[in-house]
Amino acid sequence: MMKKQLMLAAAALTATACIAGCGSSDNAGAAKENATFIVGMEPTFPPFEFTENDKYVGFDLDLAQALCDKMGVKMEVKSMGFDALIPALKSGQIDMIASGMDATEERAKQVAFTTPYFFDGYSVVVRKDNTTINGFDDLKGKVVGAQVGTKPVDIATEHGAATVKQYDANSQGWMELNSGTCDAVVINTSVALFYLKQGGDKDLKIVGESEVLNDGLAMAISKEKPEQLEKVNKALADIKADGTYAQIYKKWFGVEPPADK
């Protein structure tokens, strides 16, 4: 009789453990589905990411939110300097970089890039009264401003700038240009156009032809998380297919995105 009771007790414990285990598995799945996804960005890069009325806004922010919605995760934005983004991603402080980052070969050695989501270019911006700088070839021997850690630093150097004044935020570049402490600024064409459209064209102008950006802008994911890269790429393909990407693009740039992008 005692043996039979012990067997029944053991069976009951096994069933309880199984139920608890199954419940735990389901909860873990739900928790993972609603997990916080930390997106790193440097929010002084309008129209891609910037602060407006104490809120982070911009094309990249809307795009990252759409990707998180598609993946079923809660987005958390972490603001930091542009040159701190890759180290933060590699150390696990953030899950993704969404900050107008050029998908260059050099950066690809450190991070895994998603499918490019935007193709841009670079332009030279000067004060309206400047008549000596008419494009990239005229940067030789000049003091040129560019955001630290970005491709424009390399471009200014390659074109012979005597000094490349590097700053943390693009807003500082506009101030330096207006105050005359630098002769020109090299910056993404889309960012320059947006700034001029907001009233910057009163004092500044774009000169010469834009330099085409071949790599494209892309989100960055840790090389240690290939499954995460796959999920983000799928989400990006999905929001392009369902029209969400086009809505976001038109909101910030006023036109439909190129058909092949």
Side-chain angles (χ1 to χ4, degrees), residues 103-110 113 215:
T104 64
E105 289 184 12
E106 191 62 30
R107 288 179 179 144
K109 295 175 183 177
Q110 301 185 70
F113 282 114
D215 301 309

mmCIF file of all heavy atoms in Angstrom, residues 103-110 113 215:
data_model
loop_
_atom_site.group_PDB
_atom_site.id
_atom_site.type_symbol
_atom_site.label_atom_id
_atom_site.label_comp_id
_atom_site.label_asym_id
_atom_site.label_seq_id
_atom_site.Cartn_x
_atom_site.Cartn_y
_atom_site.Cartn_z
ATOM 1 N N ALA A 103 27.564 52.331 -44.422
ATOM 2 C CA ALA A 103 28.004 50.932 -44.320
ATOM 3 C C ALA A 103 29.324 50.743 -45.051
ATOM 4 O O ALA A 103 29.396 50.077 -46.084
ATOM 5 C CB ALA A 103 26.927 50.013 -44.890
ATOM 6 N N THR A 104 30.380 51.302 -44.512
ATOM 7 C CA THR A 104 31.689 51.229 -45.160
ATOM 8 C C THR A 104 32.366 49.878 -44.901
ATOM 9 O O THR A 104 32.041 49.177 -43.943
ATOM 10 C CB THR A 104 32.613 52.344 -44.634
ATOM 11 O OG1 THR A 104 32.849 52.134 -43.230
ATOM 12 C CG2 THR A 104 31.984 53.709 -44.835
ATOM 13 N N GLU A 105 33.328 49.554 -45.747
ATOM 14 C CA GLU A 105 34.071 48.300 -45.584
ATOM 15 C C GLU A 105 34.838 48.288 -44.268
ATOM 16 O O GLU A 105 34.952 47.256 -43.617
ATOM 17 C CB GLU A 105 35.049 48.121 -46.756
ATOM 18 C CG GLU A 105 34.375 47.813 -48.081
ATOM 19 C CD GLU A 105 35.386 47.540 -49.185
ATOM 20 O OE1 GLU A 105 36.581 47.375 -48.862
ATOM 21 O OE2 GLU A 105 34.983 47.483 -50.360
ATOM 22 N N GLU A 106 35.365 49.438 -43.886
ATOM 23 C CA GLU A 106 36.137 49.528 -42.640
ATOM 24 C C GLU A 106 35.256 49.224 -41.431
ATOM 25 O O GLU A 106 35.638 48.472 -40.534
ATOM 26 C CB GLU A 106 36.745 50.928 -42.512
ATOM 27 C CG GLU A 106 37.771 51.070 -41.406
ATOM 28 C CD GLU A 106 38.991 50.191 -41.600
ATOM 29 O OE1 GLU A 106 39.358 49.910 -42.759
ATOM 30 O OE2 GLU A 106 39.565 49.777 -40.573
ATOM 31 N N ARG A 107 34.065 49.800 -41.412
ATOM 32 C CA ARG A 107 33.150 49.540 -40.293
ATOM 33 C C ARG A 107 32.635 48.107 -40.313
ATOM 34 O O ARG A 107 32.369 47.515 -39.267
ATOM 35 C CB ARG A 107 31.975 50.519 -40.352
ATOM 36 C CG ARG A 107 32.341 51.937 -39.971
ATOM 37 C CD ARG A 107 31.153 52.866 -40.067
ATOM 38 N NE ARG A 107 31.523 54.229 -39.682
ATOM 39 C CZ ARG A 107 31.031 55.318 -40.247
ATOM 40 N NH1 ARG A 107 30.140 55.210 -41.217
ATOM 41 N NH2 ARG A 107 31.410 56.506 -39.840
ATOM 42 N N ALA A 108 32.499 47.552 -41.512
ATOM 43 C CA ALA A 108 31.995 46.177 -41.642
ATOM 44 C C ALA A 108 32.952 45.151 -41.036
ATOM 45 O O ALA A 108 32.576 43.997 -40.828
ATOM 46 C CB ALA A 108 31.730 45.850 -43.108
ATOM 47 N N LYS A 109 34.175 45.566 -40.755
ATOM 48 C CA LYS A 109 35.119 44.669 -40.088
ATOM 49 C C LYS A 109 34.764 44.519 -38.610
ATOM 50 O O LYS A 109 35.174 43.563 -37.961
ATOM 51 C CB LYS A 109 36.548 45.214 -40.214
ATOM 52 C CG LYS A 109 37.078 45.254 -41.648
ATOM 53 C CD LYS A 109 38.444 45.926 -41.698
ATOM 54 C CE LYS A 109 38.954 46.045 -43.142
ATOM 55 N NZ LYS A 109 40.257 46.769 -43.204
ATOM 56 N N GLN A 110 33.997 45.489 -38.105
ATOM 57 C CA GLN A 110 33.664 45.489 -36.683
ATOM 58 C C GLN A 110 32.214 45.123 -36.389
ATOM 59 O O GLN A 110 31.914 44.581 -35.320
ATOM 60 C CB GLN A 110 33.936 46.879 -36.085
ATOM 61 C CG GLN A 110 35.364 47.356 -36.225
ATOM 62 C CD GLN A 110 35.567 48.667 -35.502
ATOM 63 O OE1 GLN A 110 35.553 48.726 -34.281
ATOM 64 N NE2 GLN A 110 35.744 49.742 -36.261
ATOM 65 N N PHE A 113 26.270 44.757 -40.969
ATOM 66 C CA PHE A 113 25.312 45.728 -41.479
ATOM 67 C C PHE A 113 24.089 45.046 -42.082
ATOM 68 O O PHE A 113 24.181 43.985 -42.691
ATOM 69 C CB PHE A 113 25.952 46.623 -42.540
ATOM 70 C CG PHE A 113 26.824 47.710 -41.970
ATOM 71 C CD1 PHE A 113 28.187 47.712 -42.192
ATOM 72 C CD2 PHE A 113 26.260 48.723 -41.207
ATOM 73 C CE1 PHE A 113 28.992 48.711 -41.663
ATOM 74 C CE2 PHE A 113 27.060 49.734 -40.674
ATOM 75 C CZ PHE A 113 28.421 49.726 -40.904
ATOM 76 N N ASP A 215 28.059 53.201 -50.533
ATOM 77 C CA ASP A 215 27.786 52.154 -49.562
ATOM 78 C C ASP A 215 26.342 52.148 -49.073
ATOM 79 O O ASP A 215 25.788 51.098 -48.769
ATOM 80 C CB ASP A 215 28.719 52.308 -48.351
ATOM 81 C CG ASP A 215 30.186 52.234 -48.743
ATOM 82 O OD1 ASP A 215 30.545 51.271 -49.432
ATOM 83 O OD2 ASP A 215 30.949 53.131 -48.375
#
